[in-house]
Amino acid sequence: HHECFLEPDTRLPMMYISDCIQSVIQMMECRDSDLTQRTYNIAAFSFTPEEIITEIQKHVPLTVEYKIDKTRQTIASTWPQVLEDTNARRDWGWDPKFTLEKMVPYMLQKVRDQLRTETAVVKELF
C-alpha cells in the first residue's frame, strides 16, 4: 500500500536518470559550432500519479491512497506540465530512450535485483 500526496491528474515532467546522464554526455561531446545557444531544456516524458500507478499495476499489485498534501500540490501545480526541448533535439540530437512504459518495468527489475542482493547479504550475515 502506498500513499500519494498529489491529485491523481497532476501532470509533471520526468526523466529517468540514465537519460539525464546521457543528455549531459551528448551535449559535452557536441561541437560548439552545432550549438545555437548556451543553455538547453531537455525533456523525456510527463505523467500523472494516476498514469504511473496504472502502469505499475500492469506488472505488480499496487494499492494507492490519495492523501493530498496542500503544500506539495500547490508547488506541483505551478510547475510546467511539459518542457520544450526542440532546440536540444535539433542542435545535438537529444532523444531520450525511456518512456513511462519502458521505465516502469526497468525500474521494477532494478528494485527486484536490489532486494535479492540485500536479502543475500542479510542471509550471509545471519
Side-chain angles (χ1 to χ4, degrees), residues 35-98:
L35 301 178
T36 61
Q37 54 196 56
R38 298 314 293 164
T39 60
Y40 288 85
N41 287 334
I42 54 169
F45 50 88
S46 297
F47 59 82
T48 66
E50 186 174 53
E51 290 169 342
I52 194 166
I53 290 165
T54 299
E55 195 60 36
I56 292 170
Q57 289 172 332
K58 292 177 183 177
H59 304 277
V60 296
L62 175 67
T63 59
V64 176
E65 179 180 355
Y66 288 95
K67 289 189 172 182
I68 311 310
D69 179 284
K70 186 177 179 178
T71 301
R72 292 176 187 175
Q73 183 63 51
T74 299
I75 292 167
S77 294
T78 65
W79 290 356
Q81 292 185 3
V82 176
L83 294 177
E84 171 56 51
D85 67 353
T86 302
N87 293 332
R89 290 174 187 263
R90 179 196 64 227
D91 290 358
W92 43 276
W94 166 239
D95 184 26
K97 303 302 178 232
F98 283 91

Side-chain angles (χ1 to χ4, degrees), residues 9-23:
D9 62 347
T10 303
R11 182 168 304 282
L12 293 170
M14 299 288 169
M15 179 180 296
Y16 193 66
I17 189 67
S18 298
D19 278 340
C20 182
I21 293 166
Q22 186 58 38
S23 75

